[in-house]
Amino acid sequence: MRSKGILILLLLAVQAVFAQVEFKATVSKSSIGINERLRVDFTMNDDGDNFEAPSFEGFKIFGGPNQSVNYSWVNGRKSFSKSYSYFLMPTKKGTFTIKPASIEIAGKIYKTNSVKVTVGNAVAQPEPEEEEDPFAIIFGNRRPRQVPTPPPPPTLKGDGIHLVAEISNTNPYVNEPITAVYKLYVSPYVSVSDFRESESPKYNNFWSQSIDVKNLTVQMGKYNGEDYRYVVLRKTVLYPQKSGKLNIEPLTLDISMQAPTGRRDMFGRMEYANGTKKISAGAKSIAVKALPENGKPEDFAGAVGHFDFQVKPSKTTLKSGESLQLVVSAAGKGNMKLFTLPKPVVPNALEMYDPEHKENVTTPLTGMQGTISDTYTIVPQYKGTYVIKPLTFSYFDLNSKSYKTIGSQEIKINVLDGPMPTSGDAVASHEKNAVSKTDQFAFVKSNAKLTPIENNDFLGSTLFYTLLTVPFLFIPVIILAKKKKEAIDGDVAGNRIRQSNKLAKKFLSEANRQMGNKALFYDAMERALHNFLKAKLHIETSEMTKENVQELLISKKATTQTVSDFMELVNNCEFARYAPSTNVAMQQDYDKAVSVISELSKQI
């Protein structure tokens, strides 16, 4: 009885050993040539989920993952094997490590071992072996048949897969919303196993907002009149920030796919091949119209869309020392984040503090909509009744293609108690400047004190000797000044630096005056950079693309680092206009602009 118990324990121990989960990685070769292919298998002895492959640094995937599952029963015992296979092509020579893959089995995460592969020089491909054709033997012809070496999986270039950028409007106004939707169309005869974004679209001179595409849902649609499957990859809302021709750089994908080769096997079935394809949505050109000058209100601040405008005080009756909140708000649909609200003007007896800006704005595919507001805190100083003049808000209505202006009501603020405003200073000032009719000749002296006129000779006088000696005193000063000027004239490098700094500050004087006001500062900074380019490169605004400017600056002997710093500064101006910025950041951008313009002036 005791021996039977020991036998059972041994059987359970053996079963526990065999029940351990194994998950390992193997390669077809550990050392290959740059022109050879590599197969990697990730094999497990139990079924799992959420398989994650490594990045395969140094290799390019041209096939896979191919999944295979194997069940077997031997003497009543079940065995299970599942593998994921990848076919890789090396991209460069060296020693590379294939990092572990991971999978989840029974709630636990398992990882494979890492594998090192050495990629060396290209190796000679073996000659195709000769073997007899079994079908020829059947028909009496024993001619040997050559079996060619399988060609590498092709990079497929045919039809069947297309990346399309759909632009809602290619001729909008400045600050009119447009949408860019990127769709991947796939023919029913082609399958896509994986895709990677190799180049992202760039929206220069656009304010952009991406809309999350959470799930890639396959839908049915038409492409050039044929049935296709498609998925929406990206959705972006764009607001053009200047008029003229603006370009949207394309989205480019690297796609792993399987497509028919055009050949059929011995049974008449179509043969398929794994391959890769680089596909691009193509650049898009947008012709942006400027807002009309005819009828543009003086207080127009760039609002485009359709809005409601309100000015509301929290209360209109209060005591001295109490405060009220004045809310200036605009609600509707348009470029909500890209314009400023008008600022109220209050009497001097009302102390108004800087506003608290609030935005409750959403950005669906149709464009921004919601509410923005500025809340001002106002504290009265004296008793009395004070009037806040009406405010006006102007915007360009896209429906009627015309400007519209909304005005608020006049607001009266009643301060019930508190000190009365004194006008002593004003009265004193008035009395000081006023002259009564009876005293209009008071400035004429009634008792004049006359002094006799003395006729002294100029020759030998104090003034004579002073004028005689002063020129000799200026001789050392003149000599020193001349030497100083000669030294300055001889300092060619120093003069160039001083002249460049003077030119830079001339272009940036307006930005310096707007320091602390983010929108006006970066607007002035961008104009200064554009004016500098116009003066130095003799180009017009329509020619001022980033690529053209870079080529012209380099052709003028400017260094690559200086050109890179200049283009980075231009990008900072475009980005900072719509992002939070501090006085320190503005000062840093100003100092950098002075330095870069000085360097370009010297180099050009």
Side-chain angles (χ1 to χ4, degrees):
M1 189 70 180
R2 183 177 179 181
S3 61
K4 289 184 179 179
I6 294 174
L7 181 61
I8 292 173
L9 290 175
L10 289 174
L11 290 174
L12 291 175
V14 170
Q15 184 177 2
V17 170
F18 282 104
Q20 289 181 353
V21 174
E22 291 185 358
F23 184 37
K24 61 182 180 179
T26 57
V27 294
S28 57
K29 292 182 179 180
S30 60
S31 180
I32 62 173
I34 189 67
N35 61 335
E36 291 186 295
R37 280 80 180 169
L38 178 71
R39 173 171 174 166
V40 183
D41 295 311
F42 300 101
T43 308
M44 66 205 75
N45 64 350
D46 199 351
D47 197 8
D49 297 311
N50 301 324
F51 173 77
E52 291 187 8
S55 59
F56 298 115
E57 180 181 357
F59 296 90
K60 183 177 182 180
I61 300 175
F62 68 83
N66 296 335
Q67 180 178 332
S68 64
V69 179
N70 183 27
Y71 287 95
S72 64
W73 291 86
V74 178
N75 296 328
R77 177 181 293 174
K78 181 187 75 172
S79 64
F80 173 85
S81 176
K82 181 178 180 181
S83 65
Y84 292 90
S85 300
Y86 287 84
F87 299 90
L88 309 178
M89 182 74 179
T91 58
K92 55 185 177 181
K93 293 187 290 184
T95 300
F96 304 97
T97 299
I98 298 177
K99 297 180 180 179
S102 65
I103 197 167
E104 182 180 350
I105 300 177
K108 294 183 179 180
I109 302 297
Y110 293 88
K111 293 186 177 181
T112 64
N113 53 298
S114 58
V115 182
K116 286 188 177 182
V117 178
T118 301
V119 180
N121 295 325
V123 298
Q125 297 291 341
E127 294 293 333
E129 298 179 356
E130 294 188 352
E131 63 180 26
E132 294 183 340
D133 185 355
F135 295 98
I137 295 174
I138 295 174
F139 292 101
N141 183 4
R142 303 181 64 84
R143 176 179 56 85
R145 177 175 63 88
Q146 288 189 349
V147 181
T149 301
T155 299
L156 303 176
K157 299 181 180 179
D159 294 333
I161 185 165
H162 308 276
L163 182 61
V164 178
E166 297 180 354
I167 308 298
S168 62
N169 184 4
T170 58
N171 188 217
Y173 283 101
V174 173
N175 272 318
E176 179 180 359
I178 62 175
T179 58
V181 179
Y182 295 87
K183 295 180 179 179
L184 180 64
Y185 285 88
V186 180
S187 168
Y189 305 103
V190 177
S191 62
V192 173
S193 59
D194 189 21
F195 64 85
R196 293 179 178 87
E197 189 173 302
S198 59
E199 294 181 14
S200 300
K202 297 179 181 178
Y203 311 108
N204 297 326
N205 298 310
F206 288 91
W207 183 95
S208 61
Q209 175 69 55
S210 297
I211 299 176
D212 291 337
V213 179
K214 297 182 179 179
N215 297 315
L216 297 181
T217 304
V218 179
Q219 305 177 56
M220 299 302 297
K222 295 283 187 179
Y223 182 83
N224 288 340
E226 298 181 5
D227 291 331
Y228 269 76
R229 299 162 294 166
Y230 73 90
V231 292
V232 176
L233 303 179
R234 275 175 172 261
K235 296 180 181 180
T236 306
V237 180
L238 304 172
Y239 285 83
Q241 295 303 294
K242 69 177 186 179
S243 59
K245 183 180 178 180
L246 304 182
N247 292 322
I248 299 176
E249 298 183 21
L251 170 67
T252 304
L253 301 178
D254 287 329
I255 297 179
S256 300
M257 55 186 293
Q258 189 179 52
T261 62
R263 301 187 300 269
R264 296 184 180 274
D265 60 12
M266 58 182 292
F267 300 106
R269 295 173 299 189
M270 181 63 68
E271 293 183 353
Y272 285 79
N274 293 321
T276 60
K277 183 176 182 180
K278 184 180 288 290
I279 190 168
S280 172
K284 298 296 180 181
S285 180
I286 310 297
V288 183
K289 297 179 289 187
L291 297 176
E293 295 294 330
N294 185 24
K296 180 184 289 187
E298 293 182 359
D299 63 341
F300 179 70
V304 177
H306 183 75
F307 305 94
D308 291 327
F309 177 70
Q310 290 183 341
V311 180
K312 288 184 177 181
S314 59
K315 52 187 173 181
T316 57
T317 302
L318 67 163
K319 299 178 181 179
S320 176
E322 293 182 347
S323 64
L324 65 92
Q325 277 69 45
L326 186 67
V327 181
V328 181
S329 63
K333 182 178 180 181
N335 58 334
M336 304 294 297
K337 299 181 180 180
L338 306 179
F339 63 84
T340 56
L341 294 168
K343 184 177 181 179
V345 178
V346 300
N348 292 334
L350 301 179
E351 185 175 1
M352 184 173 68
Y353 295 89
D354 291 338
E356 178 187 0
H357 184 74
K358 294 182 179 180
E359 295 181 353
N360 184 16
V361 179
T362 59
T363 309
L365 201 58
T366 55
M368 286 186 278
Q369 58 188 21
T371 304
I372 62 172
S373 63
D374 289 337
T375 302
Y376 295 85
T377 298
I378 297 176
V379 180
Q381 302 298 312
Y382 304 105
K383 179 181 179 180
T385 300
Y386 304 97
V387 175
I388 300 177
K389 296 180 180 180
L391 296 181
T392 58
F393 173 73
S394 300
Y395 66 93
F396 182 74
D397 187 13
L398 292 171
N399 294 327
S400 62
K401 304 296 188 294
S402 62
Y403 292 97
K404 293 186 178 182
T405 301
I406 305 174
S408 66
Q409 298 294 324
E410 181 181 87
I411 299 174
K412 290 185 178 181
I413 306 298
N414 296 316
V415 183
L416 299 180
D417 59 2
M420 294 295 294
T422 60
S423 57
D425 294 339
V427 172
S429 176
H430 177 73
E431 291 179 350
K432 180 178 179 181
N433 295 316
V435 179
S436 64
K437 293 182 179 180
T438 57
D439 296 333
Q440 57 182 332
F441 297 106
F443 62 91
V444 179
K445 289 185 177 181
S446 58
N447 295 321
K449 294 181 180 180
L450 302 177
T451 57
I453 300 176
E454 297 180 359
N455 295 323
N456 297 326
D457 292 335
F458 173 73
L459 187 62
S461 65
T462 304
L463 180 61
F464 171 80
Y465 288 110
T466 301
L467 295 177
L468 184 64
T469 57
V470 164
F472 293 99
L473 297 176
F474 278 97
I475 291 175
V477 178
I478 294 172
I479 294 173
L480 293 175
K482 185 178 180 181
K483 289 184 177 180
K484 182 68 174 177
K485 185 176 183 302
E486 289 175 352
I488 293 175
D489 293 340
D491 185 10
V492 178
N495 287 335
R496 291 180 62 185
I497 293 173
R498 284 187 289 272
Q499 185 178 2
S500 300
N501 288 335
K502 183 178 179 181
L503 180 62
K505 291 181 180 179
K506 175 184 175 182
F507 281 114
L508 294 168
S509 59
E510 176 64 21
N512 191 23
R513 286 195 295 270
Q514 300 296 342
M515 186 72 68
N517 190 328
K518 183 190 73 173
L520 296 178
F521 171 81
Y522 283 104
D523 198 16
M525 177 82 74
E526 188 174 17
R527 286 200 306 272
L529 297 177
H530 285 185
N531 291 335
F532 173 76
L533 292 177
K534 290 180 180 178
K536 287 295 182 182
L537 303 181
H538 306 290
I539 60 177
E540 299 297 331
T541 303
S542 59
E543 302 172 330
M544 205 173 295
T545 63
K546 292 184 179 179
E547 295 79 8
N548 191 24
V549 168
Q550 287 178 334
E551 291 177 2
L552 288 174
L553 289 175
I554 292 174
S555 68
K556 294 285 186 179
K557 308 302 182 183
T559 64
T560 304
Q561 181 61 41
T562 308
V563 174
S564 177
D565 292 341
F566 185 89
M567 301 312 297
E568 182 182 358
L569 186 61
V570 173
N571 292 332
N572 288 346
C573 290
E574 294 175 354
F575 175 75
R577 199 184 302 171
Y578 314 113
S581 182
T582 63
N583 290 340
V584 175
M586 283 187 276
Q587 184 63 48
Q588 291 175 349
D589 286 341
Y590 176 82
D591 294 337
K592 184 176 181 180
V594 173
S595 175
V596 171
I597 289 179
S598 299
E599 288 297 324
L600 285 178
S601 298
K602 291 187 293 183
Q603 295 167 9
I604 295 176

